[in-house]
Amino acid sequence: MTASGDIRSRLVYGLKIALPLLALVILSTLFLVSRRTDTEGAIPYADVDVDALAREQRLTAPEYSGLTDDGTEFLVRAGAARPLARGGGQAEDITAELVTDAGLTLGMRAAQGRMDPGAGVFTLAGDVLLETSTGYRIETQGLKASTVRTEVVSDGAIHATAPFGVLDAGAMALTSATETPDGYVLVFNQGVKLVYNPEN
């Protein structure tokens, strides 16, 4: 009995020393062998000019919407915009949509433009594309649209594809028809050239 008790007590005494040492060796191995963390690659950084952001005010993906006096809804979106000192804002990568009270839809797209809420207009410039729900596709270098009434006017010549053919003109204007309730007039003028494609 005495011999077995001595063996047991020696075993317990040895384990009290060996087990903590073994745990310490395992923990040391984990810290020493573990892969170092790449702190530079772990945090993604945006490729932006911080100094430029600090110098100029800038909005990302702004939206401007409203309703004209004659019931046309408009929504203007931009990729980025910055305010101008004299009011309004300069924008890039613009899309705009007008939906009239009668259901006519106009979609516009341009490389750049300017919002002037004080004057009630927004202008588009740089390869402007206007598409209507009635089948017109109009290309021009500039457009001006009113946010007070339904009115879209080209700033210069246009090239259009229409349901009845292809035409070129020096100017274009879309306005509400005063003599027809819920009616709209699309006018091409200043030297119109039309290639008429009759329906088969």
Side-chain angles (χ1 to χ4, degrees):
M1 296 289 287
T2 306
S4 64
D6 286 344
I7 293 172
R8 190 181 307 133
S9 64
R10 284 180 190 159
L11 182 61
V12 170
Y13 181 75
L15 289 175
K16 283 183 181 179
I17 295 172
L19 288 177
L21 286 175
L22 182 61
L24 185 61
V25 169
I26 292 172
L27 286 175
S28 301
T29 305
L30 287 175
F31 283 111
L32 293 174
V33 178
S34 65
R35 190 165 49 93
R36 293 178 59 89
T37 305
D38 182 9
T39 55
E40 292 296 324
I43 304 173
Y45 293 98
D47 187 16
V48 295
D49 186 350
V50 178
D51 293 330
L53 288 175
R55 281 194 306 271
E56 64 178 34
Q57 298 177 0
R58 191 175 179 88
L59 295 173
T60 303
E63 293 186 0
Y64 178 61
S65 62
L67 188 69
T68 65
D69 293 342
D70 54 356
T72 294
E73 300 175 19
F74 64 87
L75 172 62
V76 183
R77 293 188 177 102
R82 63 181 184 276
L84 298 173
R86 59 183 177 276
Q90 183 78 33
E92 303 166 1
D93 190 20
I94 300 175
T95 59
E97 185 178 65
L98 277 67
V99 181
T100 70
D101 204 21
L104 175 66
T105 302
L106 291 87
M108 291 170 267
R109 190 170 68 240
Q112 58 189 358
R114 182 172 295 180
M115 287 297 311
D116 192 349
V121 296
F122 64 90
T123 57
L124 305 178
D127 297 328
V128 182
L129 175 64
L130 167 66
E131 294 179 297
T132 73
S133 57
T134 53
Y136 286 83
R137 189 178 190 275
I138 301 166
E139 299 172 46
T140 183
Q141 287 303 305
L143 278 179
K144 181 182 286 187
S146 173
T147 59
V148 178
R149 60 190 173 277
T150 305
E151 183 178 74
V152 179
V153 180
S154 72
D155 183 17
I158 65 94
H159 174 77
T161 303
F164 51 80
V166 178
L167 62 88
D168 292 279
M172 176 223 75
L174 183 138
T175 57
S176 56
T178 54
E179 66 279 0
T180 307
D182 297 330
Y184 298 89
V185 178
L186 180 59
V187 177
F188 299 98
N189 51 24
Q190 298 183 19
V192 179
K193 296 179 182 178
L194 169 63
V195 177
Y196 181 61
N197 294 325
E199 294 182 358
N200 295 329

